[in-house]
Amino acid sequence: MPSFSELSLSKPVLSALNRIGYEQPSPIQAASIPHLLDGKDLLGTAQTGTGKTAAFALPILSKINIKDAQPQALVLTPTRELAIQVAEAFKTYAGDLKGFHVLPIYGGQDIGGQLQKLRRGVHVIVGTPGRVMDHLRRKSLKLDALKTVVLDEGDEMLRMGFIDDVTWILEHTPAARQVALFSATMPRPIRKIADTYLNNPAEIKIEGKATTVASIEQVYWSVSGVNKLDALTRILEVEDFDGVILFVRTKTLTVEVADKLEARGYSAAAINGDMSQQLRERTIKQLKDGQIDILVATDVAARGIDVARISHVVNYDIPYDTEAYVHRIGRTGRAGRSGKAILFVAPRERRLLRAIEKATRQAITAMELPSKEQVNQKRSEQFKASITETLQTQKLEFFHNIVEEYLTESSASAEDLAAALAYMAQKSKPLIVSEGRSRPAETRSKSQHDSADGRREAKHKKDTREPRKAKKIIDETGAEVEMEAFRLAVGYQHGVNPGDIVGAIANEAGVDSAYIGRIELFDDYCIVDLPTGMPKETFQHLKKVRVRQVPLAIEKTSDKTKSKKRKGDSERTAPKPKPKAKAKAKAKKKAPRDKKKPSATKNATKS
Ligand code: AMP
């Protein structure tokens, strides 16, 4: 596998990749980038999760002429969500390309704003076919300078009935443009488009070789409702593991996840391609010797690791292809032992899961997250085992004396005393999962989904700017899920409805929609309840996600309350502002909002 720096990508693109922490190109990237940089047409069989977005975005960005603010690349996607996601990816990879503009255009979005931005000049357009056609007909979108067209998820476009639109658009592009067509499958109409519009294309198929990995038990967890780290720690609590390799996609994540696991009491270490060979070897030796139990690794760093005590492989981030999967899970089940592979699959990575199953010719079974009761049970068992071990291995005469003295001096029974000692011994790591901790989501059921929808409120609320408390929800196991209220910077005046918000959060944060609680829409913002403990990276990502072109700019309402308190109330103990002070504060808050109101609509359509 070549490195990114061997792929002739431009300097700003390489520096962005380094900053993001991508360690090496995924197979589809390694195969596609040279052809696309060369100006060749390309036909790629690949699905979401393989890294196909970067496979076309990186070469496009490497060739962009930043001084020419005309559309030089057009990416067609079947859905609005994908258009937004791809445009966001372009922005991320163009982080070091000053003056770069990408514009997502899709139906249902205010056309005025799109026209304005098109007039101002953009380098890359990412759009759904209908709206792109619309702009071409209005002549608000001109493709004279177009160099590359990408058809993303071709089979989905076919399924959604966009094929005629796609061919119409292709007919309206300059003859000399380059075309890249990506599709998870190649049904005949997609083949036909390739035959008609692609010029001697390079064909790339990302399909793993069929391999069987019989001695390894394989399960997957559908990422939903609870953050991956909480899910992971819950799994680790009940799994009987010896050594674990946990795979993530970026160098940055290896360190982040290892640190978080350490903070939660596991002995974990990161291993990635930035580390010297010597340090990597030392870390692997620590795993071998039992000084650490969990190694958080990228594919590159974990290559060739052969440690017999690895009982579990956790695919925290799904691998790009079947081969990588087989390679990863082959780190366990070594030296004649059995092993277990756990795979985290986000909703939109389902296809990759199916592809892995197909290629390995093995079904991967869905697992449920351990329940609180299972965790409590496991903790009790471990506690009992440590009592047995202490009885067998420690000299206890001195403690026998204390116990006997205590029993003669007090009226307590031996059981009372033992229970009190047990309580004291577990205080730093309680045996019972505390109430009020966020409850992980198990697989969702249809009925639960419906009841969750029923919880949502979509009434047009009067804007009081008063933070409200989040409402707990009950999941299908009957357990309470702690929720937190968040404020999003989109509201009625941006034309959003609760469905848009649910869609954006479910897709972008991987939160099962059943775990998205109450949504209250106001004029220019909304409040939504989400399970507590959202990971920082998801939170940061959601800040930038756009709904109707407006960044969500998510913030915790509790943060707002805190800052309000800090400013307004000098006494930490003051529970509520006095009615008068409250009214004053409200009036103060209201004034600038009213002033801002007319321009808020304008802001919503500005990039
Ligand atoms: P895609 O298949 O384009 O939807 O990409 C799936 C995920 O893989 C995205 O979250 C990307 O950020 C991530 N990704 C893409 N390429 C790489 C890479 N070379 N190294 C690490 N992560 C990547």
Side-chain angles (χ1 to χ4, degrees):
M1 189 71 66
S3 67
F4 275 118
S5 54
E6 286 165 325
L7 287 178
S8 311
L9 293 163
S10 73
K11 266 203 186 131
V13 168
L14 285 176
S15 64
L17 289 176
N18 197 34
R19 190 165 29 78
I20 300 160
Y22 288 3
E23 196 157 61
Q24 63 162 170
S26 72
I28 186 96
Q29 291 161 7
S32 309
I33 291 172
H35 293 299
L36 292 176
L37 282 174
D38 246 16
K40 281 202 74 146
D41 284 359
L42 188 125
L43 181 60
T45 312
Q47 46 242 315
T48 301
T50 51
K52 67 177 164 54
T53 314
F56 59 78
L58 303 179
I60 287 176
L61 288 169
S62 289
K63 294 203 290 184
I64 275 295
N65 175 4
I66 213 77
K67 288 188 196 119
D68 184 12
Q70 298 188 69
Q72 294 165 48
L74 168 68
V75 183
L76 292 178
T77 67
T79 62
R80 185 190 78 156
E81 287 73 26
L82 187 61
I84 296 171
Q85 196 185 314
V86 169
E88 286 300 326
F90 265 98
K91 269 189 212 157
T92 308
Y93 303 136
D96 293 347
L97 259 179
K98 265 210 170 112
F100 171 79
H101 290 292
V102 55
L103 181 65
I105 52 177
Y106 44 83
Q109 186 196 28
D110 165 41
I111 201 151
Q114 291 176 0
L115 292 171
Q116 192 191 357
K117 277 174 218 153
L118 283 167
R119 271 197 300 272
R120 231 174 32 201
V122 285
H123 301 93
V124 174
I125 302 279
V126 186
T128 48
R131 191 48 76 93
V132 169
M133 278 172 83
D134 201 359
H135 280 289
L136 286 173
R137 286 204 188 98
R138 286 167 179 254
K139 306 225 181 304
S140 44
L141 174 61
K142 297 205 183 73
L143 300 179
D144 309 321
L146 196 77
K147 297 206 176 62
T148 308
V149 183
V150 179
L151 309 178
D152 198 5
E153 300 201 347
D155 49 357
E156 276 302 297
M157 293 211 255
L158 172 70
R159 206 179 54 79
M160 295 174 72
F162 290 145
I163 278 309
D164 292 343
D165 297 357
V166 169
T167 48
W168 188 92
I169 294 167
L170 282 169
E171 295 286 349
H172 286 76
T173 56
R177 81 282 185 258
Q178 170 187 46
V179 186
L181 165 53
F182 290 91
S183 192
T185 55
M186 282 294 159
R188 193 166 301 164
I190 294 294
R191 261 280 154 206
K192 203 172 147 215
I193 289 203
D195 293 342
T196 319
Y197 296 97
L198 272 61
N199 179 17
N200 190 23
E203 284 202 37
I204 287 158
K205 250 191 181 167
I206 296 302
E207 270 181 356
K209 291 179 201 119
T211 333
T212 39
V213 267
S215 64
I216 301 164
E217 183 192 350
Q218 299 172 65
V219 294
Y220 77 88
W221 174 62
S222 266
V223 178
S224 64
V226 67
N227 72 58
K228 288 211 257 185
L229 193 75
D230 282 345
L232 173 69
T233 43
R234 194 158 278 243
I235 291 169
L236 291 176
E237 286 243 26
V238 298
E239 284 290 327
D240 279 317
F241 69 86
D242 191 2
V244 178
I245 295 204
L246 191 112
F247 284 94
V248 295
R249 279 208 166 164
T250 62
K251 296 181 271 191
T252 351
L253 260 180
T254 57
V255 180
E256 208 176 297
V257 174
D259 283 352
K260 285 182 178 161
L261 284 172
E262 281 266 307
R264 291 180 183 211
Y266 294 97
S267 57
I271 176 172
N272 63 49
D274 272 358
M275 290 161 62
S276 67
Q277 185 62 24
Q278 206 186 3
L279 185 54
R280 269 196 257 175
E281 279 167 16
R282 202 186 320 145
T283 314
I284 294 168
K285 187 162 182 302
Q286 285 176 331
L287 177 72
K288 229 178 224 167
D289 299 345
Q291 286 164 278
I292 55 167
D293 295 326
I294 305 172
L295 204 58
V296 186
T298 52
D299 289 287
V300 183
R303 205 165 282 156
I305 291 183
D306 187 1
V307 176
R309 70 179 278 258
I310 297 172
S311 58
H312 286 68
V313 166
V314 179
N315 291 285
Y316 193 78
D317 291 330
I318 198 165
Y320 306 112
D321 61 4
T322 315
E323 252 181 279
Y325 176 79
V326 172
H327 189 268
R328 283 179 177 192
I329 72 167
R331 302 303 101 214
T332 182
R334 297 183 88 81
R337 303 186 193 191
S338 61
K340 185 164 180 179
I342 299 168
L343 173 64
F344 284 6
V345 184
R348 59 170 188 248
E349 294 162 345
R350 281 281 169 146
R351 268 189 136 149
L352 215 50
L353 167 71
R354 300 294 161 231
I356 291 171
E357 286 184 311
K358 205 171 139 211
T360 56
R361 298 206 191 93
Q362 254 179 295
I364 303 180
T365 16
M367 71 173 283
E368 295 204 341
L369 280 190
S371 66
K372 237 181 224 175
E373 292 67 34
Q374 281 171 297
V375 173
N376 292 344
Q377 167 85 21
K378 187 75 190 181
R379 288 184 183 181
S380 304
E381 279 167 18
Q382 282 165 347
F383 188 70
K384 285 189 231 163
S386 72
I387 297 175
T388 310
E389 195 194 326
T390 310
L391 286 172
Q392 285 166 354
T393 57
Q394 300 297 325
K395 288 199 178 109
L396 299 170
E397 289 87 9
F398 175 77
F399 301 94
H400 266 288
N401 290 339
I402 297 183
V403 166
E404 273 158 29
E405 272 173 38
Y406 187 86
L407 288 176
T408 43
E409 284 163 12
S410 79
S411 58
S413 68
E415 282 83 6
D416 290 339
L417 170 59
L421 292 173
Y423 172 80
M424 286 155 66
Q426 55 89 63
K427 243 175 155 179
S428 63
K429 195 176 179 239
L431 290 179
I432 304 169
V433 179
S434 61
E435 287 309 320
R437 240 182 77 177
S438 82
R439 178 78 172 78
E442 271 92 15
T443 38
R444 92 177 126 133
S445 65
K446 176 77 178 71
S447 61
Q448 184 207 357
H449 196 167
D450 291 343
S451 74
D453 281 346
R455 271 196 304 272
R456 280 178 206 126
E457 291 179 28
K459 277 179 238 126
H460 192 154
K461 297 272 178 167
K462 222 177 105 220
D463 187 347
T464 59
R465 297 270 166 169
E466 283 296 294
R468 66 151 168 79
K469 270 197 148 179
K471 242 189 194 170
K472 281 180 190 166
I473 62 170
I474 308 291
D475 74 11
E476 98 272 24
T477 63
E480 280 184 349
V481 180
E482 283 287 323
M483 303 290 272
E484 219 172 342
F486 291 85
R487 183 184 193 278
L488 311 179
V490 287
Y492 267 107
Q493 65 176 221
H494 306 119
V496 304
N497 56 48
D500 294 329
I501 291 159
V502 172
I505 295 174
N507 283 330
E508 297 292 337
V511 176
D512 188 312
S513 57
Y515 286 84
I516 300 173
R518 219 160 28 144
I519 295 175
E520 291 176 270
L521 276 174
F522 298 93
D523 262 0
D524 59 352
Y525 77 105
C526 69
I527 303 285
V528 53
D529 289 351
L530 297 171
T532 52
M534 184 189 297
K536 211 166 106 204
E537 57 272 28
T538 309
F539 186 71
Q540 290 305 337
H541 177 64
L542 274 181
K543 270 187 195 293
K544 285 179 256 154
V545 167
R546 284 161 185 255
V547 171
R548 308 265 164 187
Q549 265 307 92
V550 185
L552 292 183
I554 186 168
E555 53 182 338
K556 288 182 184 175
T557 58
S558 55
D559 287 349
K560 273 203 104 55
T561 326
K562 263 185 234 151
S563 62
K564 201 168 124 186
K565 267 200 178 149
R566 243 176 275 132
K567 271 186 230 153
D569 309 336
S570 51
E571 276 178 69
R572 275 176 59 212
T573 46
K576 271 184 202 161
K578 286 178 194 146
K580 241 187 180 172
K582 205 168 158 187
K584 227 173 158 184
K586 248 193 211 174
K588 223 171 159 186
K589 284 218 158 246
K590 229 178 147 71
R593 189 179 75 85
D594 289 339
K595 243 196 263 167
K596 241 173 52 197
K597 218 173 174 181
S599 62
T601 325
K602 227 166 105 201
N603 284 343
T605 54
K606 232 164 130 189
S607 72

